[in-house]
Amino acid sequence: GREVLDVAGKALRVGVTTDEIDRVVHEAALERDCYPSPLNYYNFPKSVCTSVNEVICHGIPDFREVQDGDIVNIDVTTYNKGGYHGDLNETFCVGNVDEEGRKLVKTSFECLGAALDKVKPGTLYRDLGNAIHKVSSANNCSVVRTYCGHGIGSLFHTAPNVPHYPKNKAKGTMKAGHVFTIEPMINLGTPGDKTWGDNWTAVTSDGKRSSQFEHTLLVTETGYELLTGRTDEPVMKWNEDLNYR
């Protein structure tokens, strides 16, 4: 999954269609003997989710060309021959993104980082939302409540449920061996969302932009391991060069 997302990110540029990104993801997955998990998942028609600007998540690739100044999230999940799913996403700044958009993208990265800092045996799943909210509110952003992180493994989505907002009622305590995703969706405006008629595309209710980063991780005896991290990056580090196109 990591390799596939990196290939897709390199293909992203002004003028490319999200449908072309889908083709790149599909071929990159097959080249690595993986199946693109979103394809035909509850009738989802494509191999990747591409969410542009005010789209929060589950955007369906189409023939719209990416514009100068767009922020684009690419959400990749692959199912390997060993029988496991790996789920990750990143938001990219394409061309001349305004300062507000760049700050949003970095804030969403830092929200994921704040949650990861809490991961170790004994941490309550419900406590991750408090760490995420602290970072988002400090940057005048809000946290989407509708969509959560999730357990993952031989199933694409399974227990536990991992909410990203504060004062949630998520059940469970982290233990070594648990595998799940954290994927906070951070909005410039209000946390509200609505779904388009395609029954997939989730957009902000106020039309303002949304950004997200996601990793699949394993809880270890002393902390966590990023299963979808870069080989030279055991802990996430912000690097504009990796997310600016």
Side-chain angles (χ1 to χ4, degrees):
R2 172 81 260 168
E3 292 179 15
V4 173
L5 178 57
D6 288 346
V7 170
K10 287 173 183 170
L12 184 63
R13 64 188 184 282
V14 173
V16 75
T17 64
T18 49
D19 214 45
E20 171 67 7
I21 300 299
D22 175 72
R23 184 192 66 78
V24 168
V25 166
H26 186 88
E27 292 181 0
L30 297 186
E31 284 168 3
R32 289 159 177 81
D33 286 332
C34 293
Y35 183 85
S37 305
L39 185 60
N40 295 322
Y41 181 76
Y42 290 96
N43 297 317
F44 190 81
K46 297 288 185 174
S47 296
V48 66
C49 298
T50 52
S51 301
V52 182
N53 294 333
E54 78 276 13
V55 179
I56 296 169
C57 61
H58 304 155
I60 300 173
D62 59 19
F63 291 111
R64 178 190 180 273
E65 294 182 354
V66 174
Q67 307 291 313
D68 183 28
D70 282 348
I71 63 170
V72 182
N73 180 273
I74 301 177
D75 193 337
V76 168
T77 309
T78 55
Y79 182 68
N80 65 21
K81 276 191 165 181
Y84 292 96
H85 296 273
D87 189 0
L88 74 160
N89 76 53
E90 293 184 2
T91 301
F92 298 88
C93 295
V94 182
N96 298 296
V97 175
D98 61 25
E99 185 177 347
E100 192 176 47
R102 293 196 305 271
K103 183 182 178 185
L104 170 66
V105 172
K106 188 177 182 187
T107 297
S108 65
F109 181 93
E110 291 172 346
C111 283
L112 174 55
L116 288 170
D117 286 345
K118 296 279 187 188
V119 175
K120 63 180 188 297
T123 295
L124 301 176
Y125 280 102
R126 69 182 185 219
D127 288 345
L128 298 182
N130 296 329
I132 292 165
H133 173 74
K134 189 174 181 181
V135 174
S136 69
S137 60
N139 288 281
N140 297 314
C141 294
S142 62
V143 182
V144 173
R145 301 171 70 93
T146 304
Y147 301 97
C148 301
H150 52 88
I152 187 169
S154 56
L155 296 173
F156 190 173
H157 297 95
T158 185
N161 194 44
V162 187
H164 304 118
Y165 55 89
K167 299 178 183 174
N168 65 74
K169 294 180 171 59
K171 295 180 172 64
T173 303
M174 295 176 197
K175 295 178 182 175
H178 285 191
V179 177
F180 58 94
T181 72
I182 307 175
E183 46 187 296
M185 287 142 266
I186 308 301
N187 294 353
L188 267 178
T190 63
D193 64 274
K194 55 188 178 183
T195 305
W196 283 358
D198 59 22
N199 294 322
W200 280 107
T201 307
V203 297
T204 58
S205 54
D206 60 8
K208 294 187 177 180
R209 286 170 292 182
S210 184
S211 178
Q212 178 188 21
F213 285 80
E214 173 187 20
H215 274 303
T216 297
L217 57 133
L218 165 70
V219 182
T220 64
E221 296 292 347
T222 56
Y224 67 90
E225 177 186 349
L226 289 180
L227 300 181
T228 48
R230 294 180 174 86
T231 41
D232 56 348
E233 196 177 9
V235 177
M236 287 190 354
K237 292 187 180 69
W238 176 250
N239 181 348
E240 284 188 357
D241 293 341
L242 295 174
N243 291 89
Y244 280 55
R245 294 291 178 268

